Coordinates of all heavy atoms in Angstrom, one line a residue:
E1 N -5.5 -21.4 -7.0 CA -6.8 -20.8 -7.0 C -7.4 -20.7 -8.3 O -6.8 -20.8 -9.4 CB -6.8 -19.6 -6.1 CG -6.2 -19.9 -4.7 CD -6.2 -18.7 -3.8 OE1 -6.7 -17.6 -4.1 OE2 -5.7 -18.9 -2.7
N2 N -8.7 -20.4 -8.4 CA -9.5 -20.5 -9.6 C -9.6 -19.2 -10.4 O -9.6 -19.3 -11.7 CB -10.9 -21.0 -9.3 CG -10.9 -22.3 -8.5 OD1 -11.4 -22.3 -7.4 ND2 -10.3 -23.4 -9.0
V3 N -9.8 -18.1 -9.8 CA -10.1 -16.8 -10.5 C -9.3 -15.7 -9.8 O -9.2 -15.6 -8.6 CB -11.6 -16.5 -10.4 CG1 -11.9 -15.2 -11.1 CG2 -12.5 -17.6 -11.0
M4 N -8.8 -14.8 -10.6 CA -8.0 -13.7 -10.2 C -8.8 -12.4 -10.3 O -9.2 -12.1 -11.4 CB -6.7 -13.6 -11.0 CG -5.8 -14.9 -11.0 SD -5.2 -15.3 -9.4 CE -5.1 -17.0 -9.5
L5 N -8.9 -11.7 -9.2 CA -9.7 -10.4 -9.2 C -8.7 -9.3 -9.5 O -7.7 -9.1 -8.9 CB -10.3 -10.2 -7.8 CG -11.1 -8.9 -7.6 CD1 -12.2 -8.7 -8.6 CD2 -11.6 -8.9 -6.2
L6 N -9.2 -8.4 -10.5 CA -8.4 -7.3 -10.8 C -9.3 -6.0 -10.9 O -10.3 -6.0 -11.6 CB -7.8 -7.5 -12.2 CG -6.8 -6.4 -12.8 CD1 -5.5 -6.3 -12.0 CD2 -6.6 -6.6 -14.2
F7 N -9.0 -5.1 -10.0 CA -9.8 -3.8 -10.1 C -9.2 -2.9 -11.1 O -8.0 -2.8 -11.3 CB -9.8 -3.1 -8.7 CG -10.7 -3.9 -7.7 CD1 -10.1 -4.3 -6.5 CD2 -12.0 -4.1 -7.9 CE1 -10.9 -5.0 -5.5 CE2 -12.8 -4.7 -7.0 CZ -12.2 -5.2 -5.8
N8 N -10.1 -2.1 -11.7 CA -9.8 -1.2 -12.7 C -8.8 -0.1 -12.3 O -9.0 0.6 -11.3 CB -11.0 -0.5 -13.3 CG -10.9 0.2 -14.6 OD1 -9.8 0.5 -15.0 ND2 -12.0 0.4 -15.3
Y9 N -7.6 0.0 -12.9 CA -6.6 1.0 -12.6 C -6.7 2.1 -13.6 O -5.8 2.9 -13.7 CB -5.2 0.3 -12.6 CG -4.2 1.0 -11.7 CD1 -3.0 0.3 -11.4 CD2 -4.3 2.3 -11.3 CE1 -2.0 0.9 -10.6 CE2 -3.4 2.9 -10.5 CZ -2.2 2.2 -10.2 OH -1.2 2.8 -9.4
Y10 N -7.7 2.1 -14.4 CA -8.0 3.2 -15.4 C -6.8 3.4 -16.4 O -6.5 2.5 -17.2 CB -8.4 4.4 -14.8 CG -9.7 4.2 -14.0 CD1 -9.7 4.1 -12.6 CD2 -10.9 3.9 -14.7 CE1 -10.9 3.8 -11.9 CE2 -12.1 3.7 -14.0 CZ -12.1 3.6 -12.6 OH -13.2 3.3 -12.0
H11 N -6.0 4.5 -16.3 CA -5.0 4.8 -17.3 C -3.8 4.0 -17.2 O -2.9 4.1 -18.0 CB -4.7 6.3 -17.3 CG -5.9 7.1 -17.3 ND1 -6.7 7.2 -18.4 CD2 -6.5 7.9 -16.3 CE1 -7.7 8.1 -18.2 NE2 -7.6 8.4 -16.9
F12 N -3.6 3.1 -16.1 CA -2.4 2.4 -15.9 C -2.6 0.9 -15.9 O -3.7 0.4 -15.6 CB -1.8 2.8 -14.5 CG -1.6 4.3 -14.4 CD1 -2.3 5.0 -13.4 CD2 -0.8 4.9 -15.2 CE1 -2.2 6.3 -13.2 CE2 -0.6 6.3 -15.0 CZ -1.3 7.0 -14.1
N13 N -1.6 0.2 -16.2 CA -1.6 -1.3 -16.2 C -1.5 -1.9 -14.8 O -2.1 -2.9 -14.5 CB -0.5 -1.9 -17.1 CG -0.7 -1.7 -18.6 OD1 -1.8 -1.4 -19.0 ND2 0.3 -1.7 -19.3
G14 N -0.7 -1.2 -14.0 CA -0.4 -1.9 -12.7 C 0.6 -3.0 -13.0 O 1.1 -3.2 -14.1
T15 N 0.9 -3.8 -12.0 CA 1.8 -4.9 -12.2 C 1.2 -6.3 -12.0 O 1.7 -7.3 -12.6 CB 3.0 -4.8 -11.2 OG1 2.5 -4.7 -9.9 CG2 3.8 -3.6 -11.5
K16 N 0.2 -6.4 -11.1 CA -0.3 -7.7 -10.8 C -1.0 -8.4 -12.0 O -1.0 -9.6 -12.1 CB -1.3 -7.7 -9.6 CG -2.6 -6.9 -9.9 CD -3.6 -7.0 -8.7 CE -3.1 -6.3 -7.5 NZ -3.1 -4.8 -7.6
I17 N -1.4 -7.6 -13.0 CA -2.0 -8.3 -14.2 C -1.1 -9.2 -14.9 O -1.5 -10.2 -15.4 CB -2.5 -7.2 -15.2 CG1 -3.3 -7.8 -16.3 CG2 -1.4 -6.3 -15.7 CD1 -4.0 -6.8 -17.2
Y18 N 0.2 -8.9 -14.8 CA 1.2 -9.8 -15.5 C 1.4 -11.1 -14.9 O 1.5 -12.1 -15.5 CB 2.5 -9.0 -15.6 CG 2.4 -7.7 -16.4 CD1 2.5 -6.5 -15.8 CD2 2.2 -7.8 -17.8 CE1 2.4 -5.3 -16.5 CE2 2.1 -6.6 -18.5 CZ 2.2 -5.4 -17.8 OH 2.1 -4.2 -18.5
D19 N 1.4 -11.2 -13.5 CA 1.4 -12.5 -12.8 C 0.2 -13.3 -13.1 O 0.2 -14.5 -13.3 CB 1.6 -12.3 -11.3 CG 3.0 -11.9 -11.0 OD1 4.0 -12.2 -11.7 OD2 3.3 -11.3 -9.9
Y20 N -1.0 -12.6 -13.1 CA -2.2 -13.3 -13.4 C -2.2 -13.9 -14.8 O -2.6 -15.0 -15.0 CB -3.4 -12.3 -13.4 CG -3.8 -11.7 -12.0 CD1 -4.8 -10.8 -11.9 CD2 -3.1 -12.2 -10.9 CE1 -5.1 -10.3 -10.7 CE2 -3.5 -11.7 -9.6 CZ -4.5 -10.7 -9.5 OH -4.9 -10.2 -8.3
L21 N -1.6 -13.1 -15.8 CA -1.5 -13.6 -17.2 C -0.5 -14.8 -17.2 O -0.8 -15.8 -17.9 CB -1.0 -12.5 -18.1 CG -1.9 -11.4 -18.4 CD1 -1.2 -10.2 -19.1 CD2 -3.0 -11.9 -19.3
G22 N 0.6 -14.7 -16.5 CA 1.5 -15.8 -16.5 C 1.0 -17.1 -15.9 O 1.3 -18.2 -16.4
L23 N 0.2 -17.0 -14.9 CA -0.5 -18.1 -14.2 C -1.5 -18.8 -15.1 O -1.9 -19.9 -14.8 CB -1.1 -17.7 -12.9 CG -0.1 -17.4 -11.8 CD1 -0.8 -16.8 -10.6 CD2 0.7 -18.7 -11.3
K24 N -2.0 -18.0 -16.1 CA -3.1 -18.5 -16.9 C -4.3 -19.0 -16.1 O -4.9 -20.0 -16.3 CB -2.6 -19.7 -17.8 CG -1.5 -19.2 -18.8 CD -1.2 -20.2 -19.9 CE -0.3 -19.6 -20.9 NZ 0.1 -20.6 -22.0

C-alpha cells in the first residue's frame, strides 16, 4: 500500500510507527 496513516498519540510513540518506518 501507498500511505500509512498515524494518529497523534501525543506524549507517546506507540508501536505502529516503527513498522511504518521499516516499510519505508
Side-chain angles (χ1 to χ4, degrees):
E1 302 185 4
N2 309 116
V3 178
M4 306 292 148
L5 174 59
L6 184 70
F7 287 121
N8 196 338
Y9 206 165
Y10 299 105
H11 309 290
F12 306 117
N13 290 337
T15 54
K16 64 176 68 72
I17 188 173
Y18 298 108
D19 282 337
Y20 291 176
L21 289 167
L23 288 169
K24 295 192 174 180

